[in-house]
Amino acid sequence: MERNVEIDKISDGKRYGANDLVKVGCDDCRGCSACCHGMGDSIVLDPMDVYRLEKKLGKTMEEILLAGNVALRVVDGVILPHLKMTEQSDQCSFLNEEGRCSIHDARPGFCRMFPLGRLYEDGTFSYFLQVNECPKENKTKVKVRRWLDTPELGKYEAFTTEWHYYLKEKQNAARESEDDAFRQQISMNILKLFYLLPYDGNTDFYTQFAARMELADTI
């Protein structure tokens, strides 16, 4: 999900790459789960997030939706899934009684980055630090690639770039069209092909994503 804000007003003014050091170390969030509360519907999932969740939980995305951990909403003209907050305490539905993430090893990309964000420019992206988001004090410097805790980071960043610009193209097409049926078709094609069609947890994600992108070009 894109934010329409002036980047220098929410960041330290720097741009970071995977091998840069950034001040985000927070003692493993010990005693704190602030970023897991009150996030509304802002934690939008991408296909890799769905692959990780399905593999972790042993459920399809349809089953995860029915369980109430994830919900759907329109994001810039296209229906996409997002993590759901509980109605009682307005916290992530995957937060356990100890205030820890129950899916930490399969947490979404947005959660892995936080408090970093991505700035997309010229067909690629860089990371930036959101300076007012994490309440932890005395943070330490950590290399970005270590903070993201993502195997094969180069492949993941290439996927992230491809997905962002593909989705943006579809969102623009949906917003600009006055044909309700066409807009709905765009949303349903994306939802069915990249989210509701189950992933094979025993097969490499990137291979499956590439095959789906090829299929997307034909529909």
Side-chain angles (χ1 to χ4, degrees), residues 5 7-9 11 31 66 91 117 120-121 132 136 138 146 156 158 166-167 169 173 193 199 202 210:
V5 295
I7 198 73
D8 291 334
K9 289 186 177 181
S11 76
L66 290 172
Q91 68 180 34
Y120 291 90
E121 295 176 309
N132 298 314
K136 275 284 190 176
N138 302 316
R146 180 184 173 193
Y156 175 71
Y166 169 79
L167 187 58
E169 176 186 339
L193 184 58
Y199 288 90
N202 296 315

Side-chain angles (χ1 to χ4, degrees), residues 168-179 182-183:
K168 186 173 183 179
E169 176 186 339
K170 297 302 181 182
Q171 288 170 326
N172 287 340
R175 284 196 301 254
E176 292 169 4
S177 175
E178 296 181 359
D179 185 337
F182 176 69
R183 292 199 299 267

Side-chain angles (χ1 to χ4, degrees), residues 40-41 43-45 53 69-71 81-85 92 94 108 111:
D41 52 13
I43 311 301
V44 178
L45 305 180
L53 282 176
N69 297 116
V70 171
H82 62 85
L83 290 189
K84 190 175 180 181
M85 301 294 114
C92 176
F94 287 114
C111 302

Side-chain angles (χ1 to χ4, degrees), residues 92-106:
C92 176
S93 60
F94 287 114
L95 199 66
N96 64 25
E97 293 180 356
E98 289 73 41
R100 306 295 286 178
C101 178
S102 63
I103 57 163
H104 192 261
D105 57 339

Side-chain angles (χ1 to χ4, degrees), residues 141-189:
K141 287 187 176 182
V142 180
K143 187 171 284 192
V144 170
R145 68 168 55 250
R146 180 184 173 193
W147 182 252
L148 296 175
D149 186 27
T150 300
E152 299 183 293
L153 185 58
K155 287 186 177 181
Y156 175 71
E157 291 183 328
F159 148 73
T160 298
T161 300
E162 183 177 9
W163 177 246
H164 171 83
Y165 287 104
Y166 169 79
L167 187 58
K168 186 173 183 179
E169 176 186 339
K170 297 302 181 182
Q171 288 170 326
N172 287 340
R175 284 196 301 254
E176 292 169 4
S177 175
E178 296 181 359
D179 185 337
D180 289 340
F182 176 69
R183 292 199 299 267
Q184 184 176 15
Q185 182 182 23
I186 290 176
S187 275
M188 293 312 298
N189 285 346

Side-chain angles (χ1 to χ4, degrees), residues 191-203:
L191 195 59
K192 289 178 180 179
L193 184 58
F194 293 103
Y195 291 102
L196 297 182
L197 179 64
Y199 288 90
D200 181 355
N202 296 315
T203 303

